[in-house]
Amino acid sequence: SMYYLSKDLYFPPVESSSPEGIIAVGGDLSIPRLLLAYENGIFPWYDSEDPIIWWSPPKRMVVFPDKYKVSKSMRNILNQKKFTITVNTCFTRVIKNCQKTIRKGQNGTWITTDIIRAYTKLHDLGIAKSVEVWQRNTINDELELVGGLYGLDFGTVFCGESMFSKVNNASK
């Protein structure tokens, strides 16, 4: 049975999620609700025509930085110094580029105006962060934003939300 959120700051136990991972519907994207969601392994993901759908899927991709092995091909790319990487220099540009990215099998984007507004507030609080990938334009010699990602940084865990890439290997 589907749980509909009220104004109360509450989520049902994650064990009550549907097999796909849906845990609740409705509510809002207030900072307290978003923080409560992420603290419990829950995140919003929905189309602009739908109510907010909250997810807590049983399986997630987890990368442990101390166990991550950089592939030989990626090391070659890094050694070529094709890209410059920055953190938190243009959060809004990154989230808007993620919003515009067309993905196979999806019409439109889940990054609505409300999502941008809420995550920008989280960025202003120092919780949402962006990573930017830049490449020098050989014609005008200026750095161009060619890739990036944004997510929430809780110190011990970073929840990546979305990424974009305009050139090969920028998303890696």
Side-chain angles (χ1 to χ4, degrees):
S1 69
M2 185 57 54
Y3 186 86
Y4 292 91
L5 297 176
S6 68
K7 289 190 186 325
D8 297 335
L9 280 180
Y10 170 81
F11 284 100
V14 292
E15 299 79 36
S16 63
S17 296
S18 71
E20 312 80 41
I22 296 175
I23 189 162
V25 175
D28 57 40
L29 297 173
S30 68
I31 299 306
R33 188 178 305 273
L34 282 167
L35 293 177
L36 179 65
Y38 280 89
E39 285 166 11
N40 288 283
I42 300 166
F43 58 89
W45 188 48
Y46 61 102
D47 290 327
S48 55
E49 312 84 56
D50 297 331
I52 300 170
I53 302 171
W54 298 90
W55 296 78
S56 185
K59 289 188 175 183
R60 312 282 176 93
M61 182 188 159
V62 178
V63 177
F64 297 96
D66 57 335
K67 293 184 173 72
Y68 181 75
K69 182 150 174 28
V70 178
S71 70
K72 195 173 179 183
S73 61
M74 190 63 211
R75 268 199 309 274
N76 288 340
I77 291 163
L78 293 170
N79 290 337
Q80 291 169 24
K81 297 189 178 1
K82 275 190 191 171
F83 301 114
T84 299
I85 298 168
T86 57
V87 176
N88 265 347
T89 64
C90 56
F91 182 86
T92 304
R93 279 179 68 190
V94 169
I95 197 170
K96 286 186 174 175
N97 271 282
C98 291
Q99 179 188 40
K100 290 180 208 141
T101 299
I102 295 163
R103 300 177 200 281
K104 283 183 185 148
Q106 290 182 18
N107 335 328
T109 178
W110 65 276
I111 304 172
T112 63
T113 306
D114 289 341
I115 287 278
I116 291 175
R117 194 175 302 122
Y119 284 75
T120 300
K121 282 182 191 166
L122 287 168
H123 174 69
D124 293 343
L125 293 170
I127 297 166
K129 307 256 172 90
S130 61
V131 176
E132 305 89 23
V133 179
W134 307 85
Q135 188 171 44
R136 193 159 298 284
N137 181 319
T138 52
I139 297 163
N140 64 13
D141 201 42
E142 289 184 14
L143 283 177
E144 291 182 0
L145 183 65
V146 295
L149 68 88
Y150 77 94
L152 303 187
D153 184 359
F154 293 104
T156 55
V157 67
F158 179 83
C159 302
E161 287 302 311
S162 189
M163 63 171 60
F164 78 97
S165 175
K166 293 181 177 181
V167 299
N168 287 344
N169 299 311
S171 63
K172 292 179 182 170

